[in-house]
Amino acid sequence: MGKKTTKTKAPKPTGWLPKKKLKGALRKKSKTQCKTKPLCLEATIHLHKHIHNTKRKKRAGRAIKRIKQFAIRLMKTKDVRIDPKLNKYIWSRGIKGVPYRARLRLERKRKEDEDSKKKQMYTIISWVPVASYKGLENQRVDSVA
């Protein structure tokens, strides 16, 4: 048939790193060090987009599950506990009428059980009442307790 032509790749410039490698190289703290320190954050979760196509009788329960997933992703802990005030806020308008947004305070704390020998952490999620959600961003907070 015909000759196969091979394309030659242009030489990579010196100091070139893939984007993922570059991000890791610029990171100051290691992941394990960050996961074991107590931390307190305030964040807003948009619940309406998480429960949009959910059946009406499953909305509040699904919202609670999504809040837990949000906390696991943000705080890097598997043990997540929900404050009763947050639970009441989610269920305040019934199973069908879940609020569109919620302002959350996420506190990562160290387990103080005698059984836990390693530095195990857990997260407490509590609700922060807010007049308006406009202009709010995720931010670190000094823990009150």
Side-chain angles (χ1 to χ4, degrees):
M1 299 218 185
K3 289 185 178 180
K4 290 185 180 178
T5 56
T6 57
K7 293 182 181 179
T8 57
K9 293 182 181 178
K12 295 177 184 175
T14 56
W16 179 87
L17 286 173
K19 289 183 180 178
K20 288 184 181 179
K21 298 270 184 179
L22 186 63
K23 286 182 182 177
L26 295 176
R27 194 171 288 146
K28 292 179 182 177
K29 296 180 182 178
S30 67
K31 289 183 180 180
T32 55
Q33 184 183 10
C34 294
K35 290 180 189 177
T36 59
K37 288 188 176 181
L39 177 68
C40 186
L41 293 176
E42 269 192 15
T44 305
I45 185 168
H46 188 186
L47 292 169
H48 188 62
K49 71 179 181 184
H50 292 295
I51 59 165
H52 177 63
N53 279 337
T54 309
K55 294 177 183 178
R56 288 183 181 166
K57 293 292 185 175
K58 296 184 181 237
R59 287 185 174 206
R62 178 72 53 90
I64 296 290
K65 287 178 188 174
R66 294 296 179 174
I67 288 171
K68 283 186 176 184
Q69 288 176 357
F70 178 74
I72 289 169
R73 193 183 78 229
L74 209 61
M75 303 301 276
K76 310 280 192 272
T77 59
K78 291 181 181 177
D79 187 3
V80 177
R81 303 169 189 184
I82 290 186
D83 189 51
K85 288 182 183 177
L86 173 61
N87 196 38
K88 281 196 175 186
Y89 174 69
I90 298 297
W91 287 86
S92 62
R93 294 192 280 173
I95 197 166
K96 297 184 278 186
V98 177
Y100 286 172
R101 286 182 174 83
R103 186 74 174 169
L104 307 175
R105 175 170 284 136
L106 305 151
E107 291 184 66
R108 184 170 60 202
K109 295 183 177 182
R110 203 170 263 122
K111 285 186 182 177
E112 296 182 4
D113 299 339
E114 296 173 7
D115 302 338
S116 61
K117 294 178 183 177
K118 297 179 183 177
K119 294 180 181 177
Q120 292 182 344
M121 307 295 280
Y122 68 96
T123 303
I124 296 178
I125 312 169
S126 54
W127 173 60
V128 180
V130 178
S132 174
Y133 292 101
K134 303 256 180 183
L136 291 176
E137 294 180 358
N138 297 0
Q139 58 187 355
R140 280 189 175 191
V141 180
D142 297 329
S143 58
V144 180

